[in-house]
Amino acid sequence: MFAHVKRIPAAAAEAASALALVETLQKRFASALEQVARGFGLFDAFVPVEWLRDEGRHGGGVRHVVADTPVYGRASINVSQVHYDDEPERALSSATALSAIVHPQNPHAPSMHMHISWTQLRDRPGVWRIMADLNPAIPEAADTEAFQGMLEAAAPELHTEAFAQGDRYFHIPALERHRGVCHFYLEGHRSEDADADAALARRVGESTIDQYAQIVRAALESHPQPDDAARQAQLAYHTVYLFQVLTLDRGTTSGLLVHDQNDVGILGSLPAEVDRDQLARWGATLGPVDKALVDAIVGALPDQTPSPVTTPAKRALARVVRAHYQAHPEALSRQASGGINPQTVDNHR
């Protein structure tokens, strides 16, 4: 539901243009996923939820969410815009973003994450961050090939570097594996042609949405009744996903450190349930500081098998991550990196 206080948008023309772009992608994504469900006689409708930054004075956002439906276990498609037009002393002028994650119910349908944002600092030109990654519990070579080929076509001159950045960012050293099977990540992208840069962001977004919808539809058609082994594989993978997000993901951590006004939205990327005992076993292999974080994560999750990642659990997890890095800021240096430092730590999801 929407708050009665009005969100004030950023004044700059570039920020307004970026907001229009990501809002268009948000509508396209929600529509595509709803159409997949309707194709199977189901009606998994996304619901808008609004949040405000400083009571709307500095913007906010709307996330379209669906959970615990026949097709989607968790899905969040969030558009936000944070700005400081009234505080010129701040380094950040505005940040406008689409951040989306989908975790289908069917274990054979892969999870997918996409992030497209425009960030404007006051002392330098604005830049784009463009990410898309495919995250299956049960990898299918054809899906990986199709997803990678789509991104190569969408960014013919940049995909090699984007895949390299993505593979660096989504590597999980403690588990000696990557989070997914295809990782596209362009950090700080800007050329001399602003229109071409915006077109790239739009093209990657549209292509990713369309390709992913095809992959989910095909998975549901070919595996209408997954067995227990597939569901166990999904639980194991969702546990990997939560581990990576809460212990390594810079975007998630920075968002939680900057403010506490959208904790549930920032953790909208988490899957519906995980293996709490497995998290504890992984934590036992880490150094004392990182182990303390994983132990606190385990403690914040319901003591059930599997453990549901409920809304109260998300709030507790947000407090855990925030408190850990406030107490151990040096641990931030061990978080994921694509090899290029982002312009700002102000997360706007």
Side-chain angles (χ1 to χ4, degrees):
M1 60 186 297
F2 289 95
H4 295 294
V5 179
K6 182 179 180 181
R7 280 178 291 130
I8 300 174
E14 296 91 340
S17 178
L19 181 60
L21 189 157
V22 295
E23 285 180 337
T24 299
L25 291 174
Q26 182 186 46
K27 293 176 183 176
R28 185 189 188 104
F29 205 176
S31 176
L33 294 177
E34 289 174 348
Q35 286 178 20
V36 169
R38 282 197 297 271
F40 295 88
L42 303 169
F43 298 90
D44 296 5
F46 281 77
V47 177
V49 179
E50 184 173 49
W51 70 277
L52 300 174
R53 183 68 172 266
D54 300 331
E55 299 181 336
R57 181 165 61 99
H58 294 140
V62 177
R63 64 182 184 272
H64 290 250
V65 297
V66 65
D68 302 323
T69 68
V71 178
Y72 305 112
R74 291 287 186 274
S76 178
I77 310 170
N78 185 47
V79 161
S80 60
Q81 184 177 78
V82 171
H83 66 87
Y84 297 105
D85 288 342
D86 62 340
E87 297 183 10
E89 70 279 4
R90 284 188 180 249
L92 177 67
S93 176
S94 69
T96 305
L98 165 73
S99 289
I101 179 66
V102 184
H103 296 294
Q105 290 279 20
N106 192 311
H108 294 277
S111 300
M112 196 276 285
H113 163 257
M114 182 173 70
H115 175 97
I116 295 175
S117 63
W118 165 262
T119 301
Q120 176 71 67
L121 298 186
R122 296 193 191 278
D123 63 349
R124 67 189 73 173
V127 297
W128 290 95
R129 177 186 295 163
I130 305 173
M131 307 171 71
D133 43 284
L134 191 67
N135 303 279
I138 303 171
E140 294 284 350
D143 291 346
T144 303
E145 183 178 355
F147 198 81
Q148 181 171 325
M150 170 273 297
L151 289 166
E152 290 173 354
E157 298 178 356
L158 296 167
H159 67 264
T160 300
E161 174 56 28
F163 290 145
Q165 281 192 47
D167 285 346
R168 289 192 294 269
Y169 188 87
F170 289 107
H171 185 248
I172 308 172
L175 306 185
E176 297 183 342
R177 60 164 292 172
H178 287 89
R179 190 176 83 176
V181 295
C182 182
H183 316 95
F184 180 101
Y185 183 4
L186 284 178
E187 177 67 63
H189 175 70
R190 179 183 179 85
S191 73
E192 297 301 316
D193 188 337
D195 290 340
D197 293 342
L200 171 68
R202 183 185 299 275
R203 189 166 60 249
V204 170
E206 291 177 348
S207 299
T208 299
I209 290 166
D210 296 348
Q211 184 65 63
Y212 181 64
Q214 292 180 31
I215 289 172
V216 173
R217 184 181 296 109
L220 299 182
E221 289 173 347
S222 59
H223 298 90
Q225 295 183 331
D227 58 21
D228 288 343
R231 296 208 174 277
Q232 285 302 310
Q234 183 183 56
L235 177 64
Y237 179 70
H238 283 174
T239 306
V240 171
Y241 198 100
L242 181 139
F243 181 83
Q244 189 274 336
V245 168
L246 294 183
T247 66
L248 291 172
D249 189 71
R250 286 182 181 271
T252 299
T253 302
S254 62
L256 296 174
L257 287 174
V258 169
H259 66 89
D260 62 358
Q261 298 170 34
N262 187 32
D263 284 354
V264 174
I266 290 171
L267 296 187
S269 62
L270 299 181
E273 56 187 20
V274 297
D275 185 338
R276 190 170 175 266
D277 293 338
Q278 180 61 68
L279 288 170
R281 288 192 291 271
W282 287 335
T285 69
L286 304 176
V289 172
D290 296 336
K291 179 180 184 300
L293 172 59
V294 176
D295 287 348
I297 289 169
V298 171
L301 291 166
D303 187 7
Q304 298 173 230
T305 304
S307 183
V309 186
T310 61
T311 296
K314 289 179 184 178
R315 294 193 177 101
L317 290 167
R319 291 191 294 269
V320 160
V321 172
R322 187 179 295 116
H324 179 81
Y325 287 104
Q326 287 172 342
H328 302 283
E330 75 285 355
L332 290 168
S333 65
R334 294 193 291 276
Q335 290 215 310
S337 173
I340 298 177
N341 292 326
Q343 280 196 354
T344 175
V345 298
D346 194 347
N347 184 278
H348 38 276
R349 289 182 288 176

